[in-house]
Amino acid sequence: MDVEIRHCASAEEVRDAIAPIGYYFGRSAPHQDQAERLTRVLPAQRVYAAWEGGRAVGGLGAFPFKLTIPGGRVPAAGVTVAGVLPTHRRRGVLRAMMRALLDACYDQREPVAYLWATEDTIYGRFGFGLASFTAEMDLARERSAFHAPFAASGRVQLVSPGATEELLAPIYERVAVATPGMFARSSTWWQARTLADPEWRRGTNGDLQCAVLENEGRPSAYALYRVNSAFERGLQTGSVAVIEAMGDSPEATRAIWRYLFDIDWMARVKARLLPLDHPLLLLLAEPRRLGFSFRDGLWVRLLDIETAMSARSYQGQGSVVIEVIDEFCPWNAGCWRVGSDGVKRTDQAPGLRCDISALGSVYLGGFTWTQLARALRVNELLSGAIAHADALFQVRGAPWCPEIF
Ligand SMILES: CC(C)(COP(=O)(O)OP(=O)(O)OC[C@H]1O[C@@H](n2cnc3c(N)ncnc32)[C@H](O)[C@@H]1OP(=O)(O)O)[C@@H](O)C(=O)NCCC(=O)NCCS
């Protein structure tokens, strides 16, 4: 390979490094405002590029996140902007950048890397395992009745998105800290990403709207959305496109969705990036009408098994010994005893044998060991080891990440 792999040294170099992924979105050069917003949350040292004659032909970066996992939070590399120009594809450029990036993350004591994959064939070879699902819905507003009527409490207000960080951030944080898959948002992230509404982000949609539910003066739920107004022969065909809606209690979540379903003039309410176990499935009288569909969501890669698995909570007593195969990060390979009394290397006989990607799949609680076994992704070497591992790794809900990073 006649290209040099190194991280960026300046915001200008980051702009070059994201050009390859921008190419696939149809852009000849990154939008100035987009690049500027990105560099506010993605330090140059965390963006690797493949340089050829002073030009970036590939790029790959990682946000420095704090990721919620069952029982806590861990520093995690949120891998992003992966792209290699079509003139340089299939020559090992992505592989070389991934090598450099994951080695650097490991050296910086980030025990986990994770990402959204545009194509599900790409990342398994680097040890990423499918770890969550993401769902979407498209509901005709007249079919949005709940299974039981409820007396709305609290007050919904429309607030200018630019001025809402202090209202929204505490609600988000209460949900994020309790939901595996979500990451802590900095104030810069709120301003540069979540609440930003530049023209280039809107497409054909309306302005970013923000509704906040307050109960006795306390903000408890919010919705970020866009109104897409449309009529055909005088009949409304428009929709509400929900970007993010959440509440810090079941009552608050129910109330903010009722608000969204009751906006006049709209024919439909659409939402993406929902968790697989979204409460609307049981709130609605006609859940089938949601058109709920799902696909792969987060992909998780453990970079440091001992630190990553020790940070996670386990249910009940005892431990299971797992033999891990890890070709891309061989320092993880070997037998690990995993349980509530710690995670350590061991020379005990393993009960389970699997590839590192399988550990990524169970890490957030999105899959059970039984599901892995059914797909022949784990070998049960000692009878009962799968059932015991499932008891240890048990979680209460599906992982959820409400945004693509
Ligand atoms: C995906 C992409 C970054 C791969 O870059 P690349 O430099 O061609 O990848 P490499 O040559 O390093 O390939 C590494 C391995 O992945 C495989 N691979 C790479 N891209 C693949 C794809 N899209 N589908 C299937 N396999 C793929 C290669 O065959 C190779 O396999 P091997 O290790 O068994 O030989 C590049 O094709 C691209 O920019 N695609 C469009 C944008 C995109 O999808 N980005 C990902 C965003 S999440």
Short mmCIF file of all heavy atoms in Angstrom, two decimals, residues 21 24 82-84 88-95 116-119 121-123 125-126, ligand 1:
data_model
loop_
_atom_site.label_atom_id
_atom_site.label_comp_id
_atom_site.label_asym_id
_atom_site.label_seq_id
_atom_site.Cartn_x
_atom_site.Cartn_y
_atom_site.Cartn_z
N ILE A 21 -16.00 9.75 3.10
CA ILE A 21 -17.37 9.34 3.45
C ILE A 21 -18.37 10.33 2.87
O ILE A 21 -19.44 9.94 2.41
CB ILE A 21 -17.57 9.14 4.98
CG1 ILE A 21 -18.97 8.59 5.29
CG2 ILE A 21 -17.33 10.40 5.78
CD1 ILE A 21 -19.26 7.25 4.69
N TYR A 24 -19.69 9.46 -0.56
CA TYR A 24 -20.79 8.49 -0.68
C TYR A 24 -22.15 9.13 -0.38
O TYR A 24 -23.18 8.53 -0.64
CB TYR A 24 -20.53 7.28 0.23
CG TYR A 24 -19.37 6.45 -0.29
CD1 TYR A 24 -18.08 6.62 0.21
CD2 TYR A 24 -19.55 5.55 -1.33
CE1 TYR A 24 -17.01 5.90 -0.30
CE2 TYR A 24 -18.50 4.83 -1.85
CZ TYR A 24 -17.23 5.00 -1.33
OH TYR A 24 -16.18 4.29 -1.85
N ALA A 82 -16.33 6.33 8.58
CA ALA A 82 -15.54 5.34 7.84
C ALA A 82 -15.82 5.50 6.35
O ALA A 82 -16.96 5.39 5.90
CB ALA A 82 -15.90 3.94 8.29
N GLY A 83 -14.78 5.75 5.60
CA GLY A 83 -14.96 5.88 4.14
C GLY A 83 -13.63 5.76 3.42
O GLY A 83 -12.60 6.23 3.91
N VAL A 84 -13.67 5.09 2.29
CA VAL A 84 -12.49 4.97 1.42
C VAL A 84 -12.96 5.30 0.00
O VAL A 84 -13.99 4.75 -0.46
CB VAL A 84 -11.90 3.54 1.48
CG1 VAL A 84 -10.78 3.37 0.44
CG2 VAL A 84 -11.38 3.22 2.89
N HIS A 88 -9.72 3.69 -4.35
CA HIS A 88 -8.74 3.02 -3.48
C HIS A 88 -9.34 1.86 -2.70
O HIS A 88 -8.72 1.35 -1.77
CB HIS A 88 -8.12 4.04 -2.53
CG HIS A 88 -7.20 4.99 -3.21
ND1 HIS A 88 -7.64 5.98 -4.07
CD2 HIS A 88 -5.84 5.09 -3.20
CE1 HIS A 88 -6.61 6.64 -4.54
NE2 HIS A 88 -5.51 6.13 -4.03
N ARG A 89 -10.56 1.45 -3.07
CA ARG A 89 -11.24 0.41 -2.30
C ARG A 89 -10.59 -0.96 -2.48
O ARG A 89 -9.91 -1.20 -3.48
CB ARG A 89 -12.72 0.34 -2.68
CG ARG A 89 -12.97 -0.22 -4.06
CD ARG A 89 -14.37 0.05 -4.53
NE ARG A 89 -15.32 -0.92 -4.02
CZ ARG A 89 -15.56 -2.13 -4.52
NH1 ARG A 89 -14.88 -2.53 -5.58
NH2 ARG A 89 -16.44 -2.92 -4.00
N ARG A 90 -10.80 -1.81 -1.47
CA ARG A 90 -10.34 -3.21 -1.47
C ARG A 90 -8.82 -3.36 -1.67
O ARG A 90 -8.35 -4.23 -2.36
CB ARG A 90 -11.07 -4.05 -2.55
CG ARG A 90 -12.57 -3.99 -2.47
CD ARG A 90 -13.16 -4.46 -1.16
NE ARG A 90 -14.62 -4.37 -1.24
CZ ARG A 90 -15.33 -3.29 -0.89
NH1 ARG A 90 -14.70 -2.23 -0.37
NH2 ARG A 90 -16.61 -3.29 -1.00
N ARG A 91 -8.09 -2.40 -1.05
CA ARG A 91 -6.63 -2.55 -1.03
C ARG A 91 -6.14 -2.58 0.42
O ARG A 91 -4.98 -2.33 0.69
CB ARG A 91 -5.97 -1.35 -1.71
CG ARG A 91 -6.31 -1.20 -3.16
CD ARG A 91 -5.43 -0.06 -3.71
NE ARG A 91 -6.01 0.48 -4.91
CZ ARG A 91 -5.59 1.59 -5.50
NH1 ARG A 91 -4.59 2.27 -4.97
NH2 ARG A 91 -6.17 2.03 -6.59
N GLY A 92 -7.09 -2.76 1.34
CA GLY A 92 -6.68 -2.84 2.75
C GLY A 92 -6.60 -1.51 3.46
O GLY A 92 -6.06 -1.42 4.56
N VAL A 93 -7.18 -0.44 2.86
CA VAL A 93 -7.10 0.88 3.50
C VAL A 93 -7.93 0.92 4.79
O VAL A 93 -7.46 1.35 5.85
CB VAL A 93 -7.54 2.00 2.53
CG1 VAL A 93 -7.65 3.33 3.25
CG2 VAL A 93 -6.56 2.09 1.37
N LEU A 94 -9.18 0.43 4.72
CA LEU A 94 -9.99 0.41 5.94
C LEU A 94 -9.32 -0.44 7.01
O LEU A 94 -9.23 -0.05 8.17
CB LEU A 94 -11.40 -0.14 5.66
CG LEU A 94 -12.25 -0.28 6.94
CD1 LEU A 94 -12.53 1.07 7.57
CD2 LEU A 94 -13.55 -1.01 6.66
N ARG A 95 -8.83 -1.59 6.62
CA ARG A 95 -8.18 -2.49 7.59
C ARG A 95 -7.01 -1.77 8.29
O ARG A 95 -6.87 -1.84 9.50
CB ARG A 95 -7.69 -3.77 6.89
CG ARG A 95 -6.95 -4.73 7.79
CD ARG A 95 -6.70 -6.04 7.08
NE ARG A 95 -7.90 -6.86 7.02
CZ ARG A 95 -8.28 -7.71 7.98
NH1 ARG A 95 -7.55 -7.86 9.06
NH2 ARG A 95 -9.39 -8.41 7.85
N TRP A 116 -22.40 2.29 14.35
CA TRP A 116 -23.52 1.99 13.47
C TRP A 116 -22.92 1.59 12.13
O TRP A 116 -22.05 2.30 11.63
CB TRP A 116 -24.39 3.23 13.24
CG TRP A 116 -25.18 3.69 14.41
CD1 TRP A 116 -24.79 4.58 15.37
CD2 TRP A 116 -26.53 3.32 14.73
NE1 TRP A 116 -25.80 4.78 16.27
CE2 TRP A 116 -26.88 4.03 15.89
CE3 TRP A 116 -27.46 2.47 14.14
CZ2 TRP A 116 -28.13 3.90 16.49
CZ3 TRP A 116 -28.70 2.35 14.72
CH2 TRP A 116 -29.03 3.06 15.89
N ALA A 117 -23.38 0.50 11.57
CA ALA A 117 -22.81 0.04 10.30
C ALA A 117 -23.74 0.38 9.14
O ALA A 117 -24.93 0.05 9.19
CB ALA A 117 -22.59 -1.46 10.34
N THR A 118 -23.20 1.01 8.12
CA THR A 118 -24.02 1.29 6.94
C THR A 118 -24.29 -0.01 6.19
O THR A 118 -25.34 -0.19 5.59
CB THR A 118 -23.31 2.29 6.01
OG1 THR A 118 -22.86 3.37 6.79
CG2 THR A 118 -24.23 2.80 4.94
N GLU A 119 -23.28 -0.89 6.20
CA GLU A 119 -23.47 -2.22 5.60
C GLU A 119 -23.08 -3.26 6.66
O GLU A 119 -22.02 -3.15 7.27
CB GLU A 119 -22.57 -2.39 4.37
CG GLU A 119 -23.02 -1.57 3.19
CD GLU A 119 -22.21 -1.94 1.95
OE1 GLU A 119 -22.61 -2.86 1.24
OE2 GLU A 119 -21.18 -1.29 1.73
N THR A 121 -22.05 -6.18 6.44
CA THR A 121 -20.99 -7.15 6.09
C THR A 121 -19.60 -6.68 6.50
O THR A 121 -18.64 -7.44 6.42
CB THR A 121 -20.95 -7.37 4.57
OG1 THR A 121 -21.04 -6.09 3.94
CG2 THR A 121 -22.07 -8.26 4.10
N ILE A 122 -19.45 -5.42 6.90
CA ILE A 122 -18.11 -4.84 6.98
C ILE A 122 -17.36 -5.17 8.27
O ILE A 122 -16.17 -5.49 8.24
CB ILE A 122 -18.18 -3.29 6.81
CG1 ILE A 122 -18.89 -2.93 5.51
CG2 ILE A 122 -16.78 -2.68 6.84
CD1 ILE A 122 -19.17 -1.44 5.34
N TYR A 123 -18.04 -5.10 9.42
CA TYR A 123 -17.29 -4.98 10.68
C TYR A 123 -17.10 -6.25 11.49
O TYR A 123 -16.30 -6.26 12.42
CB TYR A 123 -17.94 -3.89 11.54
CG TYR A 123 -17.87 -2.54 10.85
CD1 TYR A 123 -18.98 -2.00 10.21
CD2 TYR A 123 -16.68 -1.83 10.80
CE1 TYR A 123 -18.90 -0.77 9.55
CE2 TYR A 123 -16.59 -0.62 10.14
CZ TYR A 123 -17.71 -0.10 9.52
OH TYR A 123 -17.61 1.11 8.86
N ARG A 125 -15.53 -8.85 10.71
CA ARG A 125 -14.13 -9.31 10.55
C ARG A 125 -13.18 -8.61 11.49
O ARG A 125 -12.07 -9.07 11.73
CB ARG A 125 -13.68 -9.12 9.10
CG ARG A 125 -13.39 -7.70 8.72
CD ARG A 125 -13.24 -7.51 7.22
NE ARG A 125 -14.52 -7.62 6.53
CZ ARG A 125 -14.80 -8.58 5.66
NH1 ARG A 125 -13.91 -9.49 5.37
NH2 ARG A 125 -15.98 -8.62 5.08
N PHE A 126 -13.59 -7.44 12.02
CA PHE A 126 -12.73 -6.71 12.96
C PHE A 126 -13.15 -6.98 14.41
O PHE A 126 -12.70 -6.29 15.33
CB PHE A 126 -12.78 -5.20 12.67
CG PHE A 126 -12.36 -4.86 11.25
CD1 PHE A 126 -13.23 -4.19 10.39
CD2 PHE A 126 -11.11 -5.24 10.77
CE1 PHE A 126 -12.85 -3.89 9.09
CE2 PHE A 126 -10.72 -4.94 9.47
CZ PHE A 126 -11.59 -4.27 8.62
C1 LIG B 1 -16.56 0.07 3.58
C2 LIG B 1 -15.27 0.68 3.07
C3 LIG B 1 -14.81 1.77 4.07
C4 LIG B 1 -14.22 -0.45 2.98
O1 LIG B 1 -12.95 0.12 2.69
P1 LIG B 1 -11.82 -0.74 1.94
O2 LIG B 1 -10.58 0.03 2.07
O3 LIG B 1 -12.31 -1.12 0.58
O4 LIG B 1 -11.76 -2.05 2.85
P2 LIG B 1 -10.50 -3.03 2.95
O5 LIG B 1 -9.85 -3.15 1.62
O6 LIG B 1 -9.65 -2.63 4.09
O7 LIG B 1 -11.27 -4.36 3.30
C5 LIG B 1 -11.13 -5.07 4.48
C6 LIG B 1 -11.97 -6.31 4.36
O8 LIG B 1 -13.35 -5.95 4.39
C7 LIG B 1 -13.99 -6.42 3.21
N1 LIG B 1 -14.96 -5.38 2.86
C8 LIG B 1 -14.71 -4.08 2.82
N2 LIG B 1 -15.80 -3.39 2.48
C9 LIG B 1 -16.78 -4.30 2.30
C10 LIG B 1 -18.13 -4.20 1.92
N3 LIG B 1 -18.69 -3.01 1.66
N4 LIG B 1 -18.84 -5.34 1.84
C11 LIG B 1 -18.26 -6.54 2.09
N5 LIG B 1 -16.98 -6.68 2.45
C12 LIG B 1 -16.24 -5.57 2.55
C13 LIG B 1 -12.91 -6.61 2.20
O9 LIG B 1 -13.26 -7.53 1.23
C14 LIG B 1 -11.77 -7.08 3.07
O10 LIG B 1 -11.95 -8.44 3.36
P3 LIG B 1 -10.73 -9.38 3.80
O11 LIG B 1 -10.16 -8.82 5.04
O12 LIG B 1 -11.40 -10.71 3.99
O13 LIG B 1 -9.78 -9.33 2.65
C15 LIG B 1 -15.44 1.29 1.66
O14 LIG B 1 -15.92 0.31 0.79
C16 LIG B 1 -16.40 2.46 1.64
O15 LIG B 1 -15.99 3.61 1.82
N6 LIG B 1 -17.71 2.17 1.40
C17 LIG B 1 -18.74 3.18 1.31
C18 LIG B 1 -18.93 3.94 2.60
C19 LIG B 1 -19.27 3.03 3.76
O16 LIG B 1 -20.04 2.09 3.64
N7 LIG B 1 -18.69 3.34 4.91
C20 LIG B 1 -18.97 2.61 6.13
C21 LIG B 1 -19.78 3.48 7.00
S1 LIG B 1 -20.28 2.63 8.47
#
